[in-house]
Amino acid sequence: MQLSQMWREHLQAGCPPEMRGLSIAGTAAGALDAEITACVSACVTHSLKMDSRIERRLHDISHALEHMESVTPEVAAYCTRLNQLVSAVLVNAGPVIETDNSGVDPADSGRIAVRPGVRRR
């Protein structure tokens, strides 16, 4: 299934009321949904510049969603959809550009770390 279709289905399904007040990966559920939506939107429009910080955050979110103790089937379905979106962004966003702390722009260094199992284009 394409990322844009998954995203539309997630938006149509909405957020179950039981999610209010819950925190996932250190973020309120509503804010986390907005964070993931921003990543998906950027990925769909090919404007997401994946770096190691974003990739690490998405992996943390995915891990938290996988280990979320659901109170209802609706919450479980919501968490599953969010995790599918996160996973799709990680796969579709392209190679990770390593952050270089020496003050040199990583884009200028020519170093691009490709995640294992992901082919360079």
Side-chain angles (χ1 to χ4, degrees):
M1 181 182 308
Q2 287 190 357
L3 179 57
S4 56
Q5 182 180 350
M6 289 170 50
W7 186 27
R8 279 191 302 275
E9 289 176 5
H10 175 70
L11 293 175
Q12 288 173 347
C15 182
E18 298 90 353
M19 292 302 295
R20 288 191 190 102
L22 289 181
S23 180
I24 302 168
T27 304
L32 183 71
D33 191 271
E35 182 179 350
I36 293 169
T37 293
C39 286
V40 171
S41 176
C43 190
V44 167
T45 61
H46 306 289
S47 61
L48 179 62
K49 301 223 183 323
M50 182 72 79
D51 62 19
S52 59
R53 180 190 57 82
I54 294 171
E55 184 181 36
R56 193 171 37 257
R57 173 66 175 151
L58 291 174
H59 280 292
D60 290 346
I61 291 169
S62 179
H63 181 18
L65 288 167
E66 287 172 0
H67 295 92
M68 182 80 180
E69 295 197 19
S70 304
V71 265
T72 66
E74 292 81 16
V75 169
Y78 172 83
C79 290
T80 298
R81 281 192 315 273
L82 268 184
N83 201 22
Q84 288 171 339
L85 287 170
V86 169
S87 296
V89 168
L90 285 166
V91 168
N92 291 305
V96 174
I97 299 172
E98 289 185 7
T99 305
D100 187 352
N101 293 332
S102 67
V104 176
D105 184 351
D108 294 338
S109 71
R111 295 180 1 191
I112 298 178
V114 178
R115 290 186 303 278
V118 177
R119 292 184 179 184
R120 294 177 74 175
R121 295 180 201 179

